[in-house]
Amino acid sequence: VYELGIITVAVSFITAVAAGEALLAVLFNALVFVLVIFLFRLLVIPFILRFIEHGTEVSLAMSGIIITLLLASLSSVLGLGSLIGALVAGMLVRQTLLGDVKHHRPWEAHRISSAIHTIAFGFFVPLFFVHVGLLTDLTAVLDNWALGFVLVVIAVFGTVVGSAAGYVWQGGKWKEGWLLGWALNAKGDTEIVIATLALNSGIIGKEIFSSLIFMAVVSTMVSPLVFRGLLKRRRIR
């Protein structure tokens, strides 16, 4: 969430500067979006969820998608980028579902969450990865192999060592923190979304984008192998 928030703010300001818009106008639009979020949280989303609670799986999934598209479109119109709107919509829907104390259940137990999860991973997520694959230039990866290697080292070191240090700081053991760091090291989702957003916004070129995708693929493939090896060694001991 922090990563997406930071990159969204950066893209919004860069887009505003490139378009010659005043930064004060961007801040005003951000304030308007925050106010709309409160209205959605208090009035719109609870009403929609109650209205379609007993609907079919298709109506449940479509209602969640409509909520997401509404906030994504609004944030895009306000110059904040569609990503932040979609992210906030997902958090609001989830918070509304889990915030119901009277019917408190895990998200998997809610029909709307299960429906959205099914349609997302059954259609949108594979389609997004196909899109990313078409944008990736393998020639650029080979020509900039040193950059890709450096990005892999930085990404792995930052996640593994950072997670382990945080775990030790909270009173855990270093070996357990090291294992946790490798478990969290896969970078196949948020990083690719951010890289795609940066590419579409013109912040980075295809060379850097392809190197970032290379980093995500390598860390995602290597991390489970290392994690399984470390876990096996702990069991043998």
Side-chain angles (χ1 to χ4, degrees):
V1 173
Y2 290 142
E3 291 175 354
L4 293 175
I6 291 173
I7 192 64
T8 300
V9 171
V11 170
S12 299
F13 277 96
I14 291 174
T15 303
V17 172
E21 299 178 3
L23 296 181
L24 185 62
V26 177
L27 294 176
F28 176 77
N29 291 338
L31 179 61
V32 172
F33 183 66
V34 171
L35 294 177
V36 172
I37 289 174
F38 278 107
L39 290 177
F40 261 76
R41 174 64 182 89
L42 297 176
L43 301 175
V44 179
I45 293 181
F47 172 78
I48 294 178
L49 293 181
R50 285 196 301 267
F51 183 74
I52 51 89
E53 180 67 23
H54 303 289
T56 64
E57 298 297 330
V58 175
S59 63
L60 291 173
M62 290 307 299
S63 299
I65 294 174
I66 289 173
I67 293 174
T68 303
L69 291 177
L70 282 175
L71 284 181
S73 300
L74 177 63
S75 61
S76 179
V77 170
L78 294 175
L80 302 177
S82 58
L83 177 62
I84 189 66
L87 175 67
V88 170
M91 291 190 296
L92 290 181
V93 171
R94 180 182 177 89
Q95 184 188 38
T96 303
L97 291 173
L98 301 183
D100 188 351
V101 179
K102 185 178 179 180
H103 303 94
H104 186 74
R105 294 170 293 173
W107 72 267
E108 297 92 339
H110 291 272
R111 295 175 64 222
I112 185 173
S113 297
S114 300
I116 295 174
H117 187 270
T118 299
I119 194 172
F121 283 87
F123 179 71
F124 288 114
V125 173
L127 190 63
F128 170 73
F129 280 112
V130 170
H131 173 66
V132 171
L134 293 175
L135 292 176
T136 304
D137 187 353
L138 295 179
T139 303
V141 175
L142 296 176
D143 293 338
N144 299 275
W145 63 268
L147 175 61
F149 177 78
V150 171
L151 289 175
V152 170
V153 172
I154 293 175
V156 172
F157 181 84
T159 302
V160 175
V161 177
S163 300
Y167 185 79
V168 173
W169 185 47
Q170 292 296 323
K173 297 181 180 179
W174 177 258
K175 291 184 178 179
E176 295 176 351
W178 185 254
L179 185 66
L180 176 65
W182 280 104
L184 298 173
N185 188 54
K187 304 180 183 300
D189 44 19
T190 308
E191 290 75 15
I192 295 180
V193 172
I194 293 177
T196 305
L197 179 63
L199 176 66
N200 293 336
S201 302
I203 298 177
I204 61 175
K206 274 203 171 183
E207 294 78 10
I208 297 180
F209 173 80
S210 300
S211 297
L212 289 172
I213 299 303
F214 171 77
M215 175 272 294
V217 171
V218 171
S219 63
T220 302
M221 294 179 62
V222 171
S223 297
L225 299 177
V226 177
F227 176 76
R228 184 178 299 177
L230 293 175
L231 192 61
K232 186 177 181 180
R233 287 180 59 186
R234 285 180 59 86
R235 289 176 178 174
I236 293 177
R237 292 180 181 178

